[in-house]
Amino acid sequence: MQQQDRVAGADFLRAAACLLVLVHHLILRVDLNRTEGLQPVLTALRFGNFGVAIFFILSGFLLALPFWRSLDAGRAMPGLRTYVLRRAARIVPGYWVALTAGFVLSVTLLEHRLTPELVLRYASGLFFMSQWHWRTFFPVEGNGPLWSICFEVTSYALLPLGFLWLFAIPQDRRSALVTRLAWLGIIAVTLLTHETFRMLVPPNEIERGWQYGMQGGAKEWMPNYNPFGFFAVFALGAFAAGIQIMLPRKRRIRFDIAALACLVAAGLQLPLSAGGPWEAYGWLGIPYAFPLFPVMVAAALVALSRSVLLATVLDNALMRFTATVSFGIYIWQDIVLTSMQTISPAIFGIGEEKPLRDWFIGCTFATAIVFLLASLSYFALERAAIRWAARITRKN
């Protein structure tokens, strides 16, 4: 994103999303029943998987902005070639390297047998098609979080299809209200498609559950976890972008208050979800407290973009750097954590006298390695691809 196009508060939310997911995976490696007084806090942070929903909201918001601007100005729809090239440059190089590293890890350190099914899963992830069936849901054994990348690619494809319908509305009938209502109609159709998918493709009960490994976990998640349900979250972010463009550009303190209230309301969903399933299923079985949590995040993003002070405080140097390398943090964290735990099973262990000491030390060490790998991924690989795509699209 160009500096002049930055949306205030976006860097904070991107950084918060990747850190929440990292904390989630770190807490998976501690026995919550033996954490004494910290159990309520760690249990709440175990719902750091909500960070995935923040990523979808944020992506939908930022990618929809150029479409809404062109739509409201009466211009032609932004070029899809530029859209596709920039999306591919942003995610493909880093994702393919992390995917391949996870595949190699699974057949070496993790000692999985090299079977046709393992190769099929890897190939489906390579071509961004793993999201359509529980067998391929997790493209590799050695890097679980990569499941969401293919889900997001589906959302990348569906977003311009939705806007094609909006741009087809005759200009004499097109208004801000009409186009926003039309987008709400797209969200409604998406939810209907999600519910149809849930009814038509339920997995069988054979070896279903996380006790059977990642494949069993995939059967546990599907069909509630499907590309249409996640596009509904993504589309909420896109709708928020349409609302943001309608607001006056002048910043006012009331937006600071609204943003803070929305962030607090969203944050409270983590402890309030305790006691239920870790996926925090909401309406229609869509995870991460849908729609309340995504709506609060989307509203916070809109308000932060017009805030006087809060976004400036939240978008500090540390959060900006974390946001810059956030994609690398997301795609490399599980490789680091799984490798460390496999090489030294006690690294996240709990001692008798100091229950959390070993775990905290292991978490600190692992986080440092994750940030190092994420930085290398961005500065040595991702940034070059992003700049190449920017040069190509500017020439055209």
Side-chain angles (χ1 to χ4, degrees):
M1 192 188 305
Q2 298 298 320
Q3 183 67 28
Q4 63 269 26
D5 293 332
R6 282 189 181 275
V7 175
D11 281 338
F12 165 74
L13 286 174
R14 192 191 313 278
C18 76
L19 293 176
L20 279 171
V21 175
L22 176 58
V23 169
H24 163 76
H25 285 104
L26 289 170
I27 292 176
L28 286 179
R29 289 161 171 82
V30 66
D31 183 359
L32 291 175
N33 294 321
R34 300 179 62 187
T35 53
E36 300 173 353
L38 288 177
Q39 185 175 8
V41 175
L42 294 178
T43 299
L45 291 175
R46 168 65 173 76
F47 287 92
N49 51 357
F50 279 42
V52 174
I54 300 177
F55 277 127
F56 275 79
I57 286 290
L58 191 57
S59 292
F61 185 99
L62 297 175
L63 295 180
L65 280 174
F67 291 96
W68 286 119
R69 287 169 180 157
S70 295
L71 188 69
D72 289 353
R75 298 192 298 267
M77 185 167 162
L80 293 184
R81 183 177 182 273
T82 298
Y83 174 81
V84 172
L85 186 60
R86 291 196 173 190
R87 282 296 86 206
R90 183 64 192 92
I91 67 168
V92 170
Y95 168 75
W96 273 354
V97 171
L99 179 75
T100 303
F103 179 72
V104 172
L105 179 68
S106 66
V107 297
T108 53
L109 187 63
L110 300 183
E111 299 181 342
H112 286 276
R113 210 159 47 88
L114 185 59
T115 62
E117 182 162 342
L118 205 64
V119 174
L120 173 65
R121 288 166 60 186
Y122 171 69
S124 68
L126 205 62
F127 292 101
F128 300 98
M129 293 299 293
S130 64
Q131 65 275 44
W132 297 105
H133 197 276
W134 65 265
R135 286 188 179 276
T136 56
F137 187 99
F138 292 105
V140 292
E141 287 286 333
N143 200 343
L146 295 187
W147 67 267
S148 70
I149 304 300
C150 294
F151 276 66
E152 195 156 355
V153 167
T154 302
S155 293
Y156 295 162
L158 293 176
L159 180 73
L161 290 179
F163 275 105
L164 279 173
W165 181 47
L166 269 59
F167 276 90
I169 299 174
Q171 287 209 20
D172 58 342
R173 299 181 182 178
R174 191 188 301 172
S175 67
L177 178 61
V178 168
T179 53
R180 273 61 175 181
L181 289 175
W183 192 260
L184 287 178
I186 289 173
I187 295 176
V189 171
T190 300
L191 292 174
L192 181 62
T193 308
H194 158 78
E195 187 63 14
T196 303
F197 186 94
R198 284 212 306 163
M199 290 189 298
L200 294 180
V201 292
N204 58 52
E205 297 297 324
I206 301 173
E207 295 187 347
R208 186 180 187 185
W210 287 101
Q211 65 271 28
Y212 298 106
M214 295 183 80
Q215 293 293 78
K219 293 180 77 172
E220 177 75 20
W221 277 2
M222 290 196 92
N224 287 338
Y225 281 61
N226 68 71
F228 302 111
F230 276 84
F231 179 66
V233 179
F234 189 93
L236 282 175
F239 179 74
I243 299 300
Q244 188 247 28
I245 287 179
M246 295 173 63
L247 295 176
R249 299 186 67 86
K250 189 173 182 180
R251 299 175 182 273
R252 297 188 180 278
I253 195 66
R254 63 171 176 261
F255 288 111
D256 293 70
I257 299 171
L260 182 60
C262 290
L263 289 173
V264 170
L268 285 174
Q269 292 306 304
L270 276 66
L272 290 177
S273 298
W278 294 118
E279 295 80 8
Y281 294 115
W283 287 3
L284 303 179
I286 298 175
Y288 314 133
F290 179 88
L292 184 57
F293 180 79
V295 167
M296 287 297 101
V297 172
L301 185 55
V302 172
L304 283 170
S305 70
R306 295 292 187 267
S307 68
V308 176
L309 180 62
L310 185 59
T312 303
V313 173
L314 295 178
D315 284 343
N316 53 66
L318 177 60
M319 284 299 181
R320 283 190 182 277
F321 175 77
T322 303
T324 298
V325 300
S326 60
F327 186 64
I329 293 173
Y330 188 81
I331 62 177
W332 286 102
Q333 60 181 270
D334 204 46
I335 287 182
V336 172
L337 299 181
T338 301
S339 298
M340 289 175 61
Q341 194 168 24
T342 304
I343 294 171
S344 178
I347 198 164
F348 296 109
I350 301 177
E352 292 295 334
E353 296 181 0
K354 297 183 179 179
L356 291 177
R357 183 194 58 187
D358 292 342
W359 180 73
F360 275 123
I361 293 173
C363 289
T364 303
F365 187 45
T367 300
I369 296 176
V370 168
F371 266 81
L372 177 60
L373 279 177
S375 300
L376 289 173
S377 176
Y378 179 77
F379 291 107
L381 179 62
E382 299 167 38
R383 185 171 64 174
I386 293 168
R387 289 178 172 177
W388 171 81
R391 286 196 300 270
I392 295 296
T393 53
R394 277 199 296 267
K395 288 178 182 179
N396 294 325

